[in-house]
mmCIF file of all heavy atoms in Angstrom:
data_model
loop_
_atom_site.group_PDB
_atom_site.id
_atom_site.type_symbol
_atom_site.label_atom_id
_atom_site.label_comp_id
_atom_site.label_asym_id
_atom_site.label_seq_id
_atom_site.Cartn_x
_atom_site.Cartn_y
_atom_site.Cartn_z
ATOM 1 N N TRP A 56 -22.659 36.808 140.475
ATOM 2 C CA TRP A 56 -21.938 37.775 141.254
ATOM 3 C C TRP A 56 -21.112 38.645 140.348
ATOM 4 O O TRP A 56 -20.726 38.221 139.292
ATOM 5 C CB TRP A 56 -21.216 37.098 142.388
ATOM 6 C CG TRP A 56 -20.107 36.200 141.984
ATOM 7 C CD1 TRP A 56 -20.287 34.829 141.627
ATOM 8 C CD2 TRP A 56 -18.749 36.448 141.798
ATOM 9 N NE1 TRP A 56 -19.070 34.331 141.257
ATOM 10 C CE2 TRP A 56 -18.132 35.304 141.368
ATOM 11 C CE3 TRP A 56 -17.955 37.565 141.998
ATOM 12 C CZ2 TRP A 56 -16.745 35.233 141.071
ATOM 13 C CZ3 TRP A 56 -16.603 37.535 141.669
ATOM 14 C CH2 TRP A 56 -16.033 36.354 141.296
ATOM 15 N N ASN A 57 -20.782 39.876 140.833
ATOM 16 C CA ASN A 57 -20.145 40.850 140.031
ATOM 17 C C ASN A 57 -18.645 40.767 140.330
ATOM 18 O O ASN A 57 -18.202 40.932 141.486
ATOM 19 C CB ASN A 57 -20.621 42.281 140.248
ATOM 20 C CG ASN A 57 -22.095 42.411 139.729
ATOM 21 O OD1 ASN A 57 -22.465 41.797 138.764
ATOM 22 N ND2 ASN A 57 -22.849 43.195 140.453
ATOM 23 N N TYR A 58 -17.859 40.567 139.281
ATOM 24 C CA TYR A 58 -16.351 40.588 139.366
ATOM 25 C C TYR A 58 -15.850 41.901 138.726
ATOM 26 O O TYR A 58 -16.167 42.206 137.633
ATOM 27 C CB TYR A 58 -15.848 39.343 138.695
ATOM 28 C CG TYR A 58 -14.329 39.289 138.505
ATOM 29 C CD1 TYR A 58 -13.498 39.380 139.572
ATOM 30 C CD2 TYR A 58 -13.728 39.092 137.302
ATOM 31 C CE1 TYR A 58 -12.156 39.357 139.508
ATOM 32 C CE2 TYR A 58 -12.320 38.948 137.162
ATOM 33 C CZ TYR A 58 -11.569 39.108 138.303
ATOM 34 O OH TYR A 58 -10.211 39.086 138.178
ATOM 35 N N TYR A 59 -15.059 42.573 139.481
ATOM 36 C CA TYR A 59 -14.422 43.799 138.953
ATOM 37 C C TYR A 59 -12.975 43.734 138.816
ATOM 38 O O TYR A 59 -12.241 43.986 139.714
ATOM 39 C CB TYR A 59 -14.780 45.021 139.900
ATOM 40 C CG TYR A 59 -16.238 45.343 140.021
ATOM 41 C CD1 TYR A 59 -17.058 44.681 140.976
ATOM 42 C CD2 TYR A 59 -16.861 46.241 139.129
ATOM 43 C CE1 TYR A 59 -18.426 45.006 141.087
ATOM 44 C CE2 TYR A 59 -18.156 46.566 139.287
ATOM 45 C CZ TYR A 59 -18.959 45.926 140.179
ATOM 46 O OH TYR A 59 -20.335 46.229 140.326
ATOM 47 N N PRO A 60 -12.500 43.191 137.687
ATOM 48 C CA PRO A 60 -11.001 42.987 137.555
ATOM 49 C C PRO A 60 -10.300 44.298 137.404
ATOM 50 O O PRO A 60 -10.889 45.285 136.982
ATOM 51 C CB PRO A 60 -10.869 42.191 136.225
ATOM 52 C CG PRO A 60 -12.166 42.409 135.512
ATOM 53 C CD PRO A 60 -13.217 42.761 136.520
ATOM 54 N N ASN A 61 -8.993 44.266 137.797
ATOM 55 C CA ASN A 61 -8.192 45.482 137.771
ATOM 56 C C ASN A 61 -8.054 46.071 136.403
ATOM 57 O O ASN A 61 -7.822 47.246 136.347
ATOM 58 C CB ASN A 61 -6.756 45.184 138.367
ATOM 59 C CG ASN A 61 -6.808 44.885 139.798
ATOM 60 O OD1 ASN A 61 -7.696 45.461 140.573
ATOM 61 N ND2 ASN A 61 -5.878 44.107 140.306
ATOM 62 N N TYR A 62 -8.053 45.319 135.349
ATOM 63 C CA TYR A 62 -7.815 45.786 134.031
ATOM 64 C C TYR A 62 -9.022 46.470 133.390
ATOM 65 O O TYR A 62 -8.899 47.022 132.320
ATOM 66 C CB TYR A 62 -7.357 44.665 133.120
ATOM 67 C CG TYR A 62 -8.257 43.530 132.959
ATOM 68 C CD1 TYR A 62 -9.259 43.485 132.088
ATOM 69 C CD2 TYR A 62 -8.091 42.417 133.844
ATOM 70 C CE1 TYR A 62 -10.224 42.467 131.947
ATOM 71 C CE2 TYR A 62 -8.934 41.296 133.668
ATOM 72 C CZ TYR A 62 -10.017 41.286 132.725
ATOM 73 O OH TYR A 62 -10.882 40.277 132.609
ATOM 74 N N LEU A 63 -10.193 46.394 134.016
ATOM 75 C CA LEU A 63 -11.390 47.199 133.524
ATOM 76 C C LEU A 63 -11.619 48.495 134.282
ATOM 77 O O LEU A 63 -11.203 48.539 135.421
ATOM 78 C CB LEU A 63 -12.625 46.280 133.651
ATOM 79 C CG LEU A 63 -12.730 45.113 132.752
ATOM 80 C CD1 LEU A 63 -14.039 44.291 133.026
ATOM 81 C CD2 LEU A 63 -12.700 45.439 131.286
ATOM 82 N N PRO A 64 -12.157 49.528 133.608
ATOM 83 C CA PRO A 64 -12.561 50.734 134.343
ATOM 84 C C PRO A 64 -13.441 50.303 135.453
ATOM 85 O O PRO A 64 -14.223 49.354 135.369
ATOM 86 C CB PRO A 64 -13.249 51.578 133.248
ATOM 87 C CG PRO A 64 -12.796 51.010 131.960
ATOM 88 C CD PRO A 64 -12.523 49.563 132.192
ATOM 89 N N ASP A 65 -13.590 51.212 136.502
ATOM 90 C CA ASP A 65 -14.378 50.877 137.695
ATOM 91 C C ASP A 65 -15.907 50.698 137.384
ATOM 92 O O ASP A 65 -16.497 49.934 138.136
ATOM 93 C CB ASP A 65 -14.260 52.037 138.722
ATOM 94 C CG ASP A 65 -12.836 52.122 139.355
ATOM 95 O OD1 ASP A 65 -12.139 51.083 139.292
ATOM 96 O OD2 ASP A 65 -12.604 53.120 139.901
ATOM 97 N N PHE A 66 -16.426 51.284 136.333
ATOM 98 C CA PHE A 66 -17.791 51.150 136.032
ATOM 99 C C PHE A 66 -18.147 49.876 135.292
ATOM 100 O O PHE A 66 -19.385 49.554 135.080
ATOM 101 C CB PHE A 66 -18.374 52.406 135.312
ATOM 102 C CG PHE A 66 -17.684 52.561 134.006
ATOM 103 C CD1 PHE A 66 -18.248 52.095 132.828
ATOM 104 C CD2 PHE A 66 -16.524 53.370 133.912
ATOM 105 C CE1 PHE A 66 -17.601 52.253 131.648
ATOM 106 C CE2 PHE A 66 -15.961 53.582 132.639
ATOM 107 C CZ PHE A 66 -16.462 52.987 131.514
ATOM 108 N N LEU A 67 -17.191 49.139 134.811
ATOM 109 C CA LEU A 67 -17.426 47.893 134.130
ATOM 110 C C LEU A 67 -17.285 46.629 135.029
ATOM 111 O O LEU A 67 -16.423 46.656 135.888
ATOM 112 C CB LEU A 67 -16.545 47.714 132.876
ATOM 113 C CG LEU A 67 -16.757 48.719 131.755
ATOM 114 C CD1 LEU A 67 -15.743 48.530 130.692
ATOM 115 C CD2 LEU A 67 -18.088 48.643 131.189
ATOM 116 N N LYS A 68 -17.971 45.654 134.776
ATOM 117 C CA LYS A 68 -17.925 44.421 135.617
ATOM 118 C C LYS A 68 -18.126 43.214 134.679
ATOM 119 O O LYS A 68 -18.621 43.287 133.621
ATOM 120 C CB LYS A 68 -19.021 44.458 136.645
ATOM 121 C CG LYS A 68 -20.397 44.441 136.075
ATOM 122 C CD LYS A 68 -21.493 44.667 137.080
ATOM 123 C CE LYS A 68 -22.790 44.774 136.393
ATOM 124 N NZ LYS A 68 -23.758 45.458 137.190
ATOM 125 N N ILE A 69 -17.824 42.022 135.268
ATOM 126 C CA ILE A 69 -18.066 40.808 134.583
ATOM 127 C C ILE A 69 -18.990 40.042 135.582
ATOM 128 O O ILE A 69 -18.646 39.881 136.769
ATOM 129 C CB ILE A 69 -16.747 40.007 134.415
ATOM 130 C CG1 ILE A 69 -15.836 40.699 133.446
ATOM 131 C CG2 ILE A 69 -17.081 38.566 133.830
ATOM 132 C CD1 ILE A 69 -14.445 40.128 133.293
#
Side-chain angles (χ1 to χ4, degrees):
W56 60 276
N57 295 326
Y58 173 52
Y59 295 92
N61 289 332
Y62 57 85
L63 288 179
D65 291 341
F66 62 90
L67 292 178
K68 64 187 174 202
I69 298 172

